[in-house]
Amino acid sequence: MEEVSYGALALIPPIISIALCFITKQVLISMFAGILAGGIILSGYNPFAGLSYSLNTLVTNLGDPGNANLVIFTMFMGVGIAFIWRLGGSFALAEAAKKKFKKRRSVCLGTWGLGMCTSINDCLVAAVDGNVFRDICKEYRISSEKFSYVLDSTAAPSAALFISDWIAYQIGMIGQGLDAAGITEIEPMGAYVRSIPFNMYSILTLLFVGFLMYTGMDYGPMLKAEVRCLEKGEFTSPTASPMLDVGHELGEAKMTKPMISSFVLPIVSAFATIIFGIIWTGREYMSQGPLAVLENCDASAALLWGSFVLAAVGIIIALVSRILTFRETCDTMIDGLKLMTLTGTILVLAWSLGEITKQLGLADFVVSLVGDSIPFGILPPIIMAFSILIAFATGTSWGTMAIMTPLAIEMAYAITGDVNLTIGMSGAVLSGAILGDHASPVSDTTVMASIFSGADHIDHVGTQLPYSLTVGGVIMVLYLIYGYTKISPFILLPIGFAALCLIATFMHKYCIKKYNINPNYADSMTKAIK
């Protein structure tokens, strides 16, 4: 197909998908509607050709080796989760946790901490952390909305900062930008390290989540959700349609011999396998340090191996302990695969929607709005803003990084000729990409947070959005200050965190009065739930 500039028409597929998500609360049909609209445009407005084009796009994205790898990873994760549930591992852990966690605050902080510790992959955070704390959150009357917020807001930010496949991807995108700009005095690895302080959204989001979990200074629709759960014991709202109910999908757990080991062994084995896989596939670069290993390892293969081991260890425990019969073991495997059917479907739809918008030239249209002659002072917030728009529309932060990182580096270097100023722009791209991803109802990671928390997807997006926009708004101001003053981000970040704490405290008090909620609501974080 010839390359054609579709201009503003490139906005139609994401607008349709996002609008229908909010109107119908049906993610699958909404995403496919957006893909179909794009396919019709790309096929010269022939509806039959457009349908064929859309279906071929789905097949192509499912057939991509990397995408197929992630789908199979998801299926094995489902099998592993099914065995952890059926063997009573989740129940045993929840019972043990009740003896350790005496307050809602400790449960919230535990969820936040585990999310950061499982940062090897953002999808893994949702799966592992969600499975660990879902029942505990119900027990301690922490709403599904807040739980899904913690899962979502620790997943990508943690993966973008700590040891994960994200780091290797970022290094690759930065390398492309350096090549495009003709910068040779710094290596991609060194540029990545220098860009970390400019990834302000990831840093401040993790700190902000911790602050909210510790203080309970909720505001907006999240405050309403928490009060509902605390006072009425309703984990989800009465009108919610949770994307996953493990008990309903997998049946009752067998309480013959509930053991914590049924939970811990599969997950620890999976993590050990993933770490081994990363080291093994990147072993040729071990002499160059851990970041070089991450940059050159096959993270997708490592994750696939880990998910297989998660499932395999669950099967072994079931058969060796004789908690499940052979027939029950086979049935549990099938139930686990069924559990992840929705997740796999959404992943394929999200990739296809991103591919359609790419072919329509959404990125080129957005970039054309920037122009080629702007002062550096406003460049950081502009780069972040357009990264937000692309990520929100496409639902993919990785796709946004691929589009915007090389472009941002090239633009910044053309304007300033300063390598140090230029490198920071990749952090602005990542900040915008993750914020847009968090705000988008068609984001695969946002959907996975809803699935593994057992939350209504639109409720999750709606309650998370004010928090994401609060952090994003503060960062926009910080980037503007940096653009005109060149003040070190190490000075700006503490100022930004202090501003977030003040805003949250003010908004909490305002909403307490507005919604006529008990002024001592935040005290519930430190009181035991009977």
Side-chain angles (χ1 to χ4, degrees), residues 437-455:
D437 191 77
H438 281 169
S440 176
V442 297
S443 160
D444 54 353
T445 51
T446 301
V447 169
M448 291 188 77
S450 299
I451 287 173
F452 285 105
S453 65

Side-chain angles (χ1 to χ4, degrees), residues 17-26 30 392 439-441 458 461-462 465:
S17 294
I18 292 166
L20 286 178
C21 272
F22 283 108
I23 293 170
T24 67
K25 292 194 173 186
Q26 299 297 319
S30 300
F392 181 77
S440 176
I458 301 303
V461 174
L465 189 58

Side-chain angles (χ1 to χ4, degrees), residues 405-446:
T405 302
L407 176 67
I409 291 175
E410 192 172 6
M411 285 176 60
Y413 192 64
I415 292 171
T416 68
D418 187 314
V419 173
N420 291 322
L421 292 178
T422 297
I423 288 169
M425 296 307 96
S426 61
V429 170
L430 190 56
S431 288
I434 297 177
L435 194 164
D437 191 77
H438 281 169
S440 176
V442 297
S443 160
D444 54 353
T445 51
T446 301

